[in-house]
């Protein structure tokens, strides 16, 4: 494994190996000295052309805890703002002899393109509306831990599906781990062509959140991405919250064992109520914590794992 660009590139065995390694990486978080020598002498560039709190900081922490040298770059503070092309910018960084570029970019496919331009490993930290593979892996890690496995479990993914790269990676990842998935959204936020995709890949579609919630083991609420919306996808925020939000009333529809996920950042009061976000069964902060461990495991697999002779 050289790059992590899409969950589609990973076999079930590779996903399981990343999640299993993350279990031992997670123990580092509870140590006083949070440092393993695994990636000593390796250099990792975090190149974020879009804002991020969780992904950027957890990749940086993951690299540091594995003793790699990590450097953060953004579009604004680099020569990108002077008009340098993406190709020239990443080839310049690549020519410095770095071992990995972790990239977030608003254009779908940018990490794939970068991987063709540079010799080092490339990790997709979220590209446009395409994929966010490390998010899906940490979501799977968190749900697997909470539910004791994902095989045969029912996961509902709810909200702004049209603009969600998290959805695309999660659909691929959950299918490979044997979970049953139902997507719930208003018709305006269902991606075009989703019916054919659902028929081909065996997941379900629903417009009725109240009917789906009593049947789930986990519900994943997705953020309404207003910054990517050019038109009115729903009449008002209040109407969206009433029809598709995880409201206090809807918490009562969940089975007792069911857990709540949200990849963050959350719009409290829109897709998720404060009662749901802060509920005992909410795994929102567990997902953040798992993010560091899973990203440590990803770095390990790409830079130090079996068969990696870079
Ligand atoms: N979930 C996620 O990608 O969050 P950030 O945008 O804060 O990285």
């Amino acid at each position: 494994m050289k790059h992590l660009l899409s969950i589609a590139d990973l076999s079930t065995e590779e996903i399981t190996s990343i999640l299993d390694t993350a279990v031992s990486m997670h123990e580092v978080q509870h140590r006083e000295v949070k440092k393993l020598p695994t990636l000593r002498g390796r250099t990792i560039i975090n190149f974020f052309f879009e804002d991020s709190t969780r992904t950027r900081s957890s990749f940086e922490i993951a690299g540091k805890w594995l003793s790699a040298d990590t450097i953060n770059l953004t579009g604004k503070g680099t020569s990108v703002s002077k008009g340098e092309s993406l190709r020239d910018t990443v080839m310049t960084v690549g020519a410095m002899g770095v071992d990995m570029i972790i990239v977030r970019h608003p254009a779908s496919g940018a990490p794939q393109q970068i991987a063709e331009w540079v010799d080092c490993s490339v990790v997709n930290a979220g590209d446009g509306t395409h994929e966010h593979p490390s998010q899906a892996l940490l979501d799977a890690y968190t749900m697997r831990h909470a539910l004791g496995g994902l095989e045969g479990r029912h996961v509902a993914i709810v909200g702004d599906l049209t603009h969600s790269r998290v959805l695309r990676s999660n659909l691929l990842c959950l299918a490979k781990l044997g979970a049953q998935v139902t997507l719930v959204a208003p018709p305006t936020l269902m991606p075009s062509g989703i019916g054919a995709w659902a028929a081909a890949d065996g997941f379900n579609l629903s417009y009725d959140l109240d009917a789906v919630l009593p049947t789930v083991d986990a519900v994943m609420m997705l953020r309404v991405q207003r910054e990517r919306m050019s038109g009115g996808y729903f009449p008002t925020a209040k109407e969206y919250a009433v029809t598709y939000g995880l409201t206090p009333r809807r918490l009562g529809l969940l089975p007792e064992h069911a857990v709540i996920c949200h990849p963050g950042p959350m719009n409290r009061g829109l897709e998720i109520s404060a009662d749901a976000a802060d509920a005992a069964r909410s795994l929102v902060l567990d997902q953040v914590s798992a993010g560091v461990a899973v990203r440590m495991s990803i770095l390990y697999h790409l830079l130090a794992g079996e068969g990696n002779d870079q």
Side-chain angles (χ1 to χ4, degrees):
M1 215 190 302
K2 179 172 179 181
H3 307 297
L4 178 60
L5 302 172
S6 164
I7 294 290
D9 299 334
L10 299 179
S11 65
T12 301
E13 291 69 32
E14 286 170 325
I15 291 172
T16 305
S17 175
I18 290 170
L19 302 188
D20 289 347
T21 305
V23 174
S24 43
M25 297 296 185
H26 216 159
E27 288 164 14
V28 175
Q29 228 171 84
H30 307 293
R31 292 187 193 171
E32 196 179 333
V33 178
K34 299 175 179 64
K35 209 72 161 174
L36 299 175
T38 319
L39 297 183
R40 199 163 45 201
R42 299 303 191 104
T43 304
I44 297 172
I45 305 278
N46 262 327
F47 210 154
F48 277 60
F49 294 84
E50 261 187 10
D51 293 343
S52 166
T53 299
R54 293 150 201 80
T55 313
R56 188 168 67 178
S57 53
S58 59
F59 265 123
E60 184 177 1
I61 292 168
K64 287 188 189 312
W65 286 0
L66 290 172
S67 301
D69 294 307
T70 59
I71 293 165
N72 290 314
L73 296 175
T74 60
K76 196 155 179 264
T78 59
S79 292
V80 171
S81 65
K82 299 178 196 163
E84 188 172 57
S85 70
L86 178 63
R87 184 172 185 271
D88 284 338
T89 300
V90 296
M91 287 183 73
T92 298
V93 171
M96 294 177 192
V98 303
D99 297 288
M100 176 182 281
I101 299 175
I102 297 167
V103 63
R104 171 170 289 190
H105 200 281
S108 299
Q112 172 82 48
Q113 180 62 75
I114 290 168
E116 290 167 22
W117 288 329
V118 297
D119 292 330
C120 65
S121 291
V122 176
V123 173
N124 178 1
D127 61 330
T129 57
H130 175 228
E131 274 214 49
H132 193 349
S134 64
Q135 179 70 46
L137 291 166
L138 76 87
D139 292 339
Y141 176 95
T142 309
M143 289 186 281
R144 187 178 83 150
H145 177 74
L147 300 172
L150 280 166
E151 181 76 44
R153 296 295 194 167
H154 184 201
V155 181
I157 305 179
V158 184
D160 181 358
L161 309 179
T162 291
H163 302 100
S164 179
R165 53 197 176 205
V166 174
L167 166 71
R168 284 158 186 77
S169 290
N170 259 297
L171 270 178
L172 293 165
C173 191
L174 289 168
K176 287 179 192 234
L177 294 174
Q180 180 203 337
V181 177
T182 300
L183 305 187
V184 186
T188 49
L189 289 174
M190 284 280 184
S192 66
I194 193 78
W197 187 9
D201 284 15
F203 56 85
N204 306 305
L205 303 177
S206 173
Y207 303 125
D208 187 349
L209 184 55
D210 284 0
V212 172
L213 286 179
T215 70
V216 303
D217 297 295
V219 59
M220 182 183 298
M221 304 306 297
L222 295 181
R223 183 170 69 89
V224 174
Q225 300 192 37
R226 284 189 269 208
E227 76 278 15
R228 293 189 207 272
M229 291 183 179
S230 51
Y233 286 79
F234 45 83
T236 64
K238 188 168 182 196
E239 184 166 329
Y240 183 88
V242 168
T243 48
Y244 287 98
L246 193 54
T247 56
R249 177 187 71 78
R250 289 202 172 97
L251 280 178
L253 299 177
L254 287 167
E256 210 165 305
H257 72 279
V259 294
I260 298 164
C261 295
H262 192 307
M266 296 184 282
N267 292 308
R268 284 176 183 255
L270 187 53
E271 73 268 3
I272 189 165
S273 63
D275 289 40
D278 301 330
R281 61 170 83 200
S282 166
L283 301 180
V284 171
L285 292 179
D286 302 74
Q287 289 170 272
V288 175
S289 170
V292 179
V294 169
R295 288 173 175 129
M296 287 173 80
S297 177
I298 290 167
L299 300 186
Y300 169 80
H301 276 80
L302 296 183
L303 293 179
E306 206 177 315
N308 188 307
D309 54 3
Q310 284 188 79

